[in-house]
Amino acid sequence: MTERRQLTVDIVSDVVCPWCIIGYRGLAAAAETLADRVDIIVRWHPFELAPATPPEGQLLTDYTRERYGATPEQSSQNRKRLVDTGKALGIDFRYGPDSRIYNSHKAHELLTWAGECGKQTALKLALFQAYFTDQANISDDGVLLDAVEGVGLDRDEAQAILADRRYAAAVDAEVAHWQDQNITGVPAFIVDGKYMIPGAQDAETFGRVFERVLERI
């Protein structure tokens, strides 16, 4: 009987990053092709694309203009490309002219806690759904608590975490750590603690990397 192997993939990402869910879908597809012989353990780590945004968020057109110099037309075209890419992967991006970007710090605090409870990926996917498909404000406590409850985590405990901010310092420390590792954009995938895959890749690319790593361990 072939011995099962295990690979850990650390994903540095933000809840408001469309390429993060696109990249994860590629990773998940690659993991499925290797499922008969490899266990892929995913751990999510925080990154903030818009840490200075107010509670009500900021229009995406304004954000992309200020950050990337994109015109409204360019921003609209980029979103259309994302929608088309998402359709091919089963991701329902529902961008519109009023779409906004939000501060994700509290979401990362809950994701840190969810990691301790074995529900981190489930909550991350629920938050992607809330933000990209439902177009919800993922800095709003009610939205966050609904996502928590939806994946089977304790709503009251999550509410207490949001109230006392017990994970805020840990999130700040992790964000600083990955910045010190020269990660300036997301997603970034670190395989087996050694090999970094930058950006959203397809299943074939992830599969080739996984096979190479397995040959070396």
Side-chain angles (χ1 to χ4, degrees), residues 152-201:
L153 288 164
D154 187 88
R155 187 184 184 100
D156 291 337
E157 179 67 13
Q159 192 164 25
I161 289 167
L162 292 176
D164 63 28
R165 308 299 297 272
R166 71 189 72 165
Y167 288 95
V171 168
D172 290 340
E174 269 222 85
V175 169
H177 166 75
W178 295 111
Q179 288 173 338
D180 288 344
Q181 300 302 307
N182 295 318
I183 292 178
T184 58
V186 288
F189 302 84
I190 298 92
V191 182
D192 202 35
K194 302 173 185 176
Y195 310 98
M196 190 179 83
I197 304 172
Q201 306 295 335

Side-chain angles (χ1 to χ4, degrees), residues 55-169:
E56 69 274 14
Q58 181 183 20
L59 281 172
L60 268 177
T61 49
D62 293 340
Y63 171 80
T64 55
R65 183 188 69 250
E66 293 173 8
R67 179 157 183 163
Y68 306 110
T71 66
E73 293 75 16
Q74 290 170 329
S75 183
S76 177
Q77 290 168 1
N78 289 337
R79 289 199 296 273
K80 184 181 184 306
R81 281 195 291 271
L82 283 168
V83 169
D84 292 341
T85 301
K87 283 180 181 177
L89 297 170
I91 305 167
D92 188 7
F93 290 120
R94 295 187 183 176
Y95 289 117
D98 297 325
S99 292
R100 307 180 77 83
I101 192 167
Y102 299 101
N103 185 298
S104 57
H105 199 284
K106 289 192 291 185
H108 289 304
E109 292 171 40
L110 291 177
L111 284 163
T112 302
W113 164 63
E116 298 173 358
C117 303
K119 293 274 192 176
Q120 193 179 43
T121 293
L123 182 58
K124 187 80 172 188
L125 295 178
L127 291 171
F128 281 141
Q129 167 85 15
Y131 178 62
F132 291 115
T133 301
D134 301 339
Q135 294 287 295
N137 179 353
I138 51 85
S139 71
D140 178 80
D141 285 7
V143 171
L144 293 170
L145 294 174
D146 285 348
V148 160
E149 190 172 26
V151 300
L153 288 164
D154 187 88
R155 187 184 184 100
D156 291 337
E157 179 67 13
Q159 192 164 25
I161 289 167
L162 292 176
D164 63 28
R165 308 299 297 272
R166 71 189 72 165
Y167 288 95

Side-chain angles (χ1 to χ4, degrees), residues 8-15 20 41-48 108 111-112 120 124 170-171 174-175 177-178 183 186-190:
T8 297
V9 182
D10 292 286
I11 310 176
V12 185
S13 80
D14 198 355
V15 175
C20 291
I41 309 300
V42 171
R43 301 185 299 203
W44 297 89
H45 302 278
F47 191 92
E48 293 185 90
H108 289 304
L111 284 163
T112 302
Q120 193 179 43
K124 187 80 172 188
V171 168
E174 269 222 85
V175 169
H177 166 75
W178 295 111
I183 292 178
V186 288
F189 302 84
I190 298 92

